[in-house]
Amino acid sequence: MEHSLRLIFIPLFLCSWMAMGGAEYLKYKDPKQPLNVRIDDLLSRMTLAEKVGQMSQIAMENATSEVINKYFIGSVLSGGGSVPAPKASAEAWVNMVNEMQKGALSTRLGIPMIYGIDAVHGHNNAYKATIFPHNIGLGATREPALVKRIGAATALEVRATGIPYVFAPCVAVCRDPRWGRCYESYSEDTKIVQAMTELIPGLQGEIPANSHKGVPFVAGPKRNVAACAKHYVGDGGTYKGINENNTIISLHGLLSIHMPPYYEAITKGVSTVMVSFSSWNGVKMHANHYLVTDFLKNKLHFRGFVISDWQGIDRITSSPHANYSYSIQAGVHAGIDMVMIPYDYPEFIDDLTYQVKNNVIPMSRIDDAIRRILRVKFTMGLFEKPYADLSLADQLGKKEHRELAREAVRKSLVLLKNGKSTDNPLLPLPKKAKKILVAGSHADNLGCQCGGWTITWQGRSGNNLTIGTTILDAIKATVGPTTKVVYSENPDADFVDHDQFSYAIVAVGEQPYAETNGDNLNLTIPDPGPSVIQNVCRNIKCGVIIISGRPLVIEPYMHMIDALVAAWLPGTEGQGVADVLFGDYGFSGKLSRTWFKSVDQLPMNVGDPHYDPLFPFGFGLSTEPATTN
């Protein structure tokens, strides 16, 4: 009888044990195992199809749970303006990401996918998120600690929407303001850009002092995100500032100007590095084996993964996608580990699989890519906490984050002129005045304040983009209760001359743009900005605020202007501008870029032999807070 019971019990026990997942102990699922043991165990179990899938990052629009499951997709991204729905809530974002994650976790090995998004000045795709000043303004603050706090706030807002990975920071050293991405660069000076890599420990958490150089680090899956240093390398040095163009510079110049921010980023444990569309001395960075593999991976000991830019390998050929097989071979051989293929992923997967099976690309190169991708995913706790929740939903656009952005605006403003003589400064402005004029296209325009990479890829003019405070609203909230504020976007000279204003505030500048759409060879203030300056400033005392992603031609109007402020692209918190204009705080920002006289001088950077600027690098007048206002 006992023997019979034992025969019945053992099969029942085995069935129960297997049903509970005890059929095989999987080291890679055990968080107590060392990181490399987990990586080795999982890698040894993966098929070629699963490996190629992990190397693929596809666009949100294509990323159904079924597609992710079928192709073993390793990553999904939101491009600029790619959202679950217009004005989507944190809950809508979380639900979308989790639905995709279900597809990844239901595959044979259950490797979680990693969702990435551009969060270049706050969580800029998300409605109601705090939009911080673009990097050019943050460079003017000279405050790495402030940038680190911005990184931490951005991480919380990104995590609030269920996303664990951001394509930031941009550590380009912009050497020519004609470049359409110059506002994404902290400075023309590599030392300032190096210092501002403090955004990385803000986003990822502070790397432990005993960590090995080059190993990616993310403090935890709750409040931190994986970061991405971009665009490797030399993207800010292209000929005439043309986006995606050729950077013509010696190896010494490349290593001394454009490379140092990557040393800092790697030391701080950055998880990923994105390759630039641009070329170095005629060689496309996406195909540059020396700089991606020999230098970044082997010499600098970077152990995270290298990711391409949007359809980056397609552009290895002069006509994009002209010879896709060659592009795949060149890009993967160069050392790209994860390939951003938003739309053509089946073609990429089929072609890469064919090349590996036919020994065009060795399996050792594929395994290196997978090892790096898995290292980041394990490090950031994605295997232990693959799903997002709504516990941080209240962080999106949080009051404390908006106050931080307002502080950043105050500290980023650079005062270039204050009074037609030093004895008669215009700023700070008196809050108690009978009637003041506010003029210009940018005074009441939140979209222009924020610039590109805001809700949509290119950004958009107007006040229906997201939630924030325009400069006009901020002025109205700051002046005394008896002060009449008159707003006229484009006043004529007669209106200004006959209406007896105490003074005027004029806000003009660039329309929003991103990347190639921002390339500009003349850098003049767009119409009707010049006529507004002339109509107003020839008739009454005026302070002019330039809202732009770079210095613009201003010299022809300098003699008319009483006070001139470079406000860059301040973001959603326009109150920070009024805080300083009216003397609640003093001006402290210093130019992180040389302000040229004429575009004929460009490129012109501090230290150049022909250096003859309108305002030199580091210039910025200071004021004290007003005591009686």
Side-chain angles (χ1 to χ4, degrees):
M1 180 67 179
E2 185 180 337
H3 177 71
S4 302
L5 285 172
R6 197 178 298 154
L7 290 174
I8 295 168
F9 174 75
I10 290 172
L12 285 173
F13 172 76
L14 287 172
C15 289
S16 301
W17 184 57
M18 291 175 71
M20 290 187 293
E24 185 182 2
Y25 168 60
L26 303 174
K27 288 182 180 178
Y28 76 89
K29 289 192 174 183
D30 183 357
K32 295 179 182 177
Q33 288 287 343
L35 174 62
N36 285 330
V37 170
R38 299 181 77 184
I39 293 170
D40 289 342
D41 182 59
L42 180 50
L43 185 60
S44 70
R45 300 172 187 275
M46 294 174 70
T47 64
L48 176 59
E50 288 163 337
K51 292 175 181 179
V52 171
Q54 283 299 302
M55 294 175 68
S56 306
Q57 185 183 68
I58 68 173
M60 181 207 84
E61 295 87 339
N62 297 318
T64 63
S65 182
E66 292 74 23
V67 165
I68 292 168
N69 180 276
K70 177 181 177 181
Y71 291 99
F72 310 105
I73 297 298
S75 184
V76 178
L77 85 152
S78 276
S82 185
V83 297
K87 299 183 179 181
S89 65
E91 184 176 9
W93 280 99
V94 166
N95 290 342
M96 178 191 74
V97 174
N98 281 346
E99 182 60 30
M100 294 176 186
Q101 194 65 278
K102 284 181 187 175
L105 296 178
S106 63
T107 55
R108 182 179 70 95
L109 295 171
I111 304 172
M113 68 90 191
I114 181 173
Y115 198 104
I117 195 165
D118 286 286
V120 297
H121 60 144
H123 192 9
N124 50 258
N125 272 14
Y127 183 68
K128 290 186 179 179
T130 308
I131 304 299
F132 294 91
H134 266 299
N135 287 355
I136 188 171
L138 297 181
T141 70
R142 300 295 200 278
E143 282 200 28
L146 173 67
V147 170
K148 184 176 179 179
R149 287 191 286 145
I150 289 171
T154 299
L156 287 171
E157 297 208 13
V158 172
R159 279 287 188 181
T161 57
I163 296 170
Y165 175 33
V166 300
F167 307 124
C170 178
V171 294
V173 182
C174 175
R175 303 291 283 178
D176 194 324
R178 293 174 290 189
W179 185 37
R181 302 192 83 144
C182 200
Y183 64 75
E184 295 184 56
S185 167
Y186 294 105
S187 179
E188 70 191 44
D189 178 30
T190 192
K191 290 180 180 176
I192 291 177
V193 181
Q194 278 184 282
M196 295 305 179
T197 58
E198 276 297 283
L199 190 82
I200 292 167
L203 292 167
Q204 297 191 154
E206 196 73 53
I207 189 168
N210 60 350
S211 291
H212 293 294
K213 180 187 173 187
V215 175
F217 174 79
V218 180
K222 181 74 174 174
R223 304 173 68 86
N224 298 101
V225 294
C228 177
K230 64 182 190 182
H231 308 85
Y232 184 83
V233 58
D235 52 340
T238 58
Y239 175 69
K240 290 188 176 182
I242 299 169
N243 193 43
E244 304 182 20
N245 206 255
N246 190 24
T247 298
I248 305 165
I249 195 170
S250 67
L251 178 60
H252 172 76
L254 188 79
L255 297 186
S256 61
I257 295 172
H258 298 284
M259 192 68 78
Y262 290 94
Y263 306 153
E264 291 290 326
I266 290 165
T267 299
K268 290 170 181 172
V270 73
S271 296
T272 70
V273 170
M274 183 183 291
V275 184
S276 177
F277 286 130
S278 59
S279 304
W280 174 48
N281 294 336
V283 179
K284 290 277 190 179
M285 280 304 311
H286 274 72
N288 197 314
H289 183 275
Y290 168 70
L291 285 174
V292 176
T293 293
D294 296 342
F295 198 87
L296 177 65
K297 290 184 172 182
N298 296 341
K299 189 174 183 64
L300 299 186
H301 305 291
F302 174 61
R303 293 291 176 263
F305 68 78
V306 175
I307 187 169
S308 81
D309 207 333
W310 180 278
Q311 296 179 324
I313 61 167
D314 299 55
R315 303 189 210 188
I316 288 173
T317 51
S318 54
S319 296
H321 208 84
N323 186 344
Y324 199 47
S325 287
Y326 165 75
S327 293
I328 292 171
Q329 178 189 348
V332 175
H333 171 72
I336 296 171
D337 304 309
M338 183 177 283
V339 182
M340 199 182 287
I341 30 154
Y343 308 122
D344 298 323
Y345 58 92
E347 181 184 7
F348 168 79
I349 287 169
D350 288 346
D351 202 307
L352 179 55
T353 301
Y354 174 85
Q355 293 196 39
V356 177
K357 285 183 175 178
N358 287 274
N359 299 316
V360 177
I361 296 174
M363 184 62 81
S364 59
R365 171 73 272 273
I366 302 301
D367 285 348
D368 170 59
I370 300 308
R371 187 175 295 279
R372 292 168 177 276
I373 293 165
L374 294 180
R375 182 177 291 120
V376 171
K377 289 186 175 184
F378 278 123
T379 298
M380 61 194 298
L382 207 53
F383 280 79
E384 284 66 59
K385 195 177 184 299
Y387 287 115
D389 58 46
L390 291 170
S391 61
L392 294 176
D394 63 343
Q395 298 290 325
L396 195 65
K398 190 177 180 182
K399 182 176 182 292
E400 289 83 352
H401 297 167
R402 292 190 180 277
E403 286 299 319
L404 175 61
R406 182 175 169 181
E407 176 189 347
V409 173
R410 291 195 295 263
K411 292 177 174 178
S412 69
L413 303 179
V414 180
L415 181 58
L416 299 173
K417 181 180 181 180
N418 192 15
K420 288 179 177 171
S421 72
T422 54
D423 298 330
N424 190 24
L426 180 67
L427 302 178
L429 295 167
K431 294 179 182 178
K432 296 175 182 178
K434 186 176 180 182
K435 184 164 59 171
I436 65 174
L437 173 64
V438 179
S441 54
H442 288 53
D444 189 30
N445 196 313
L446 192 65
C448 286
Q449 266 177 225
C450 292
W453 293 109
T454 307
I455 304 301
T456 66
W457 173 37
Q458 293 293 321
R460 191 170 67 236
S461 177
N463 289 336
N464 60 351
L465 200 63
T466 189
I467 304 299
T469 303
T470 68
I471 293 170
L472 176 63
D473 288 338
I475 292 168
K476 289 178 176 178
T478 305
V479 296
T482 62
T483 300
K484 184 177 181 182
V485 177
V486 177
Y487 172 59
S488 177
E489 184 174 331
N490 188 10
D492 59 34
D494 286 342
F495 172 79
V496 176
D497 191 35
H498 291 101
D499 224 3
Q500 296 184 322
F501 295 105
S502 304
Y503 57 82
I505 300 169
V506 177
V508 294
E510 296 184 295
Q511 291 295 307
Y513 58 81
E515 300 191 53
T516 304
N517 285 8
D519 286 357
N520 187 330
L521 294 178
N522 62 60
L523 295 180
T524 53
I525 298 171
D527 290 331
S531 64
V532 174
I533 292 173
Q534 292 176 68
N535 289 343
V536 175
C537 297
R538 277 179 175 164
N539 291 284
I540 54 175
K541 284 186 177 181
C542 75
V544 174
I545 304 167
I546 303 293
I547 307 291
S548 66
R550 52 202 160 186
L552 300 176
V553 176
I554 191 68
E555 190 179 33
Y557 321 108
M558 285 300 297
H559 65 284
M560 308 174 201
I561 295 168
D562 292 280
L564 178 63
V565 177
W568 315 113
L569 297 169
T572 51
E573 306 315 302
Q575 190 64 51
V577 177
D579 287 344
V580 185
L581 285 181
F582 292 94
D584 291 330
Y585 295 83
F587 280 92
S588 60
K590 306 297 177 187
L591 287 178
S592 58
R593 298 211 53 78
T594 296
W595 202 293
F596 55 88
K597 295 175 182 176
S598 162
V599 290
D600 296 334
Q601 296 174 297
L602 300 177
M604 179 177 65
N605 296 284
V606 63
D608 288 350
H610 64 289
Y611 198 69
D612 181 28
L614 182 62
F615 299 107
F617 172 86
F619 180 80
L621 302 173
S622 298
T623 61
E624 294 297 322
T627 53
T628 55
N629 201 339

